[in-house]
Amino acid sequence: MAFSAEAKQELCRQEISRRCCAQAEAYGILLFCSVFDSWQARIVTESPALKDRLPVLFRKAFKLSFDKLPEPGEGKGSFLLEDPAKLKAVFGAFDLEWEGAVSLHINLARLEEDHCRTAFLRGAFLAGGSVTDPMKGYHLELATSHYHVGRELPALLREAGFEPKETQRKGNHVVYFKHSDHIEDFLTFLGAPVSAMGVMAAKIERDLRGSVNRQVNCDSANLDKTVAAAREQLAAIERLRESGRLDALPDKLREAARLRMENPELNLSQLGALCDPAVSKSALNHRMRKLLELAEGAGP
């Protein structure tokens, strides 16, 4: 199951207790669903959990049933309200003009209580929201076709302590979050703490993988440098040997040359530990530089 579907399934397990919250959640669903106007309300979803929740929610909120329900076994199904009396009752519940209504707003007077505001935003996410799998990226959004609703939603979110971003896409107003911390907080606020923990766990895993990859890349780069340096040192030692100057070098330089030829894969710290007595990386590096300098004048 997709991460977004799992988050919505978790939200649908929230108990529908207060009628005011049922109305607020239904309000969010209606303002962010496929169609909501004076002629019909159409809620399209493929979430089995939301399909089970919607009839219960609307009975609790408005004491009415849908005119049309999805067919059994149907993947993406529609819940439809077309009866004028039912639509009028729904519009009246939110003090909205029913006849000829063309521009919908968020009636903040219906969302004064914190629990109602949370329920409204939960409904908005259930109908018009999505969240990306956190292993692939961080993006949570709410999209509505109602212009004023899209413009008023950020203010409502800021009142709740969030700082969303806004954009337009294909005629829809989209409000979104791009930071993992903001997404975690918002999912927790809606009532999906398990999904919020999923975002947190994914972030930790991604950060850990990034850290490991950076370390591997760093180690690989260091290994490449060590190999290149060892090749240069071996070539210099070989020139000194061919010119007959290697055996005439001071004991410390001859020891450094011998250890490098016997251990071409070791770095300077490891070679230094093999010296008798052991020397530091800096000291052995000085000896290797001396061998390189002498090899410059050793001729072919």
Side-chain angles (χ1 to χ4, degrees), residues 3-300:
F3 184 81
S4 189
E6 290 177 352
K8 291 184 179 183
Q9 184 179 62
E10 184 180 0
L11 290 175
C12 285
R13 290 197 288 268
Q14 290 287 318
E15 183 181 358
I16 305 171
S17 53
R18 299 183 177 95
R19 189 182 183 199
C20 62
C21 289
Q23 288 186 342
E25 183 175 325
Y27 194 18
I29 289 173
L30 289 166
L31 291 181
F32 285 79
C33 69
S34 300
V35 179
F36 181 46
D37 55 34
S38 299
W39 295 274
Q40 68 173 224
R42 183 189 301 121
I43 305 165
V44 180
T45 182
E46 58 185 353
S47 168
L50 185 54
K51 288 179 182 178
D52 291 339
R53 185 177 183 82
L54 282 171
V56 179
L57 181 69
F58 273 63
R59 280 197 300 270
K60 180 76 172 181
F62 312 114
K63 298 182 180 179
L64 57 78
S65 59
F66 286 97
D67 298 320
K68 180 183 177 183
L69 299 171
E71 296 293 331
E74 188 177 2
K76 182 178 289 187
S78 296
F79 291 81
L80 191 63
L81 281 176
E82 292 180 307
D83 186 331
K86 294 180 180 179
L87 288 168
K88 187 174 182 179
V90 170
F91 272 75
F94 306 119
D95 298 327
L96 301 173
E97 291 294 331
W98 172 52
E99 293 183 343
V102 294
S103 181
L104 296 174
H105 292 263
I106 299 176
N107 187 347
L108 297 178
R110 293 288 180 175
L111 306 175
E112 291 182 347
E113 299 295 335
D114 290 344
H115 48 80
C116 289
R117 190 179 299 117
T118 299
F120 173 84
L121 292 171
R122 180 168 59 246
F125 180 77
L126 287 172
S130 64
V131 57
T132 302
D133 184 338
M135 290 304 297
K136 299 177 181 177
Y138 304 123
H139 185 87
L140 183 149
E141 69 175 41
L142 302 166
T144 178
S145 61
H146 302 295
Y147 175 79
H148 293 293
V149 173
R151 294 299 300 272
E152 294 158 355
L153 180 63
L156 183 64
L157 286 168
R158 281 191 283 271
E159 285 184 11
F162 300 100
E163 289 296 331
K165 297 181 181 298
E166 305 172 56
T167 189
Q168 297 286 331
R169 186 195 306 135
K170 297 180 179 178
N172 288 331
H173 194 91
V174 180
V175 175
Y176 65 96
F177 300 102
K178 295 293 290 185
H179 294 287
S180 62
D181 293 347
H182 298 168
I183 294 172
E184 291 168 23
D185 292 343
F186 187 64
L187 288 173
T188 300
F189 175 81
L190 295 184
V194 175
S195 297
M197 287 295 294
V199 175
M200 185 183 302
K203 179 184 178 182
I204 293 172
E205 183 174 347
R206 290 181 68 183
D207 288 348
L208 180 60
R209 286 183 178 180
S211 176
V212 170
N213 288 336
R214 286 191 294 273
Q215 185 62 51
V216 169
N217 291 337
C218 181
D219 290 345
S220 178
N222 289 337
L223 179 60
D224 290 342
K225 291 179 181 178
T226 298
V227 170
R231 286 175 178 171
E232 185 180 13
Q233 293 158 7
L234 287 169
I237 293 168
E238 181 61 22
R239 288 199 299 274
L240 290 169
R241 187 188 64 79
E242 290 178 353
S243 67
R245 299 181 59 190
L246 184 61
D247 293 337
L249 295 178
D251 291 344
K252 292 180 179 180
L253 293 182
R254 282 191 290 111
E255 181 185 39
R258 177 180 61 78
L259 289 173
R260 171 50 77 203
M261 288 189 292
E262 293 175 353
N263 305 279
E265 77 285 357
L266 298 185
N267 59 36
L268 293 181
S269 295
Q270 294 166 327
L271 281 181
L274 296 178
C275 291
D276 186 19
V279 299
S280 66
K281 175 183 176 180
S282 177
L284 190 60
N285 185 47
H286 175 75
R287 296 178 188 180
M288 290 297 177
R289 283 204 307 270
K290 187 64 177 178
L291 288 172
L292 291 172
E293 291 172 4
L294 292 171
E296 287 291 327

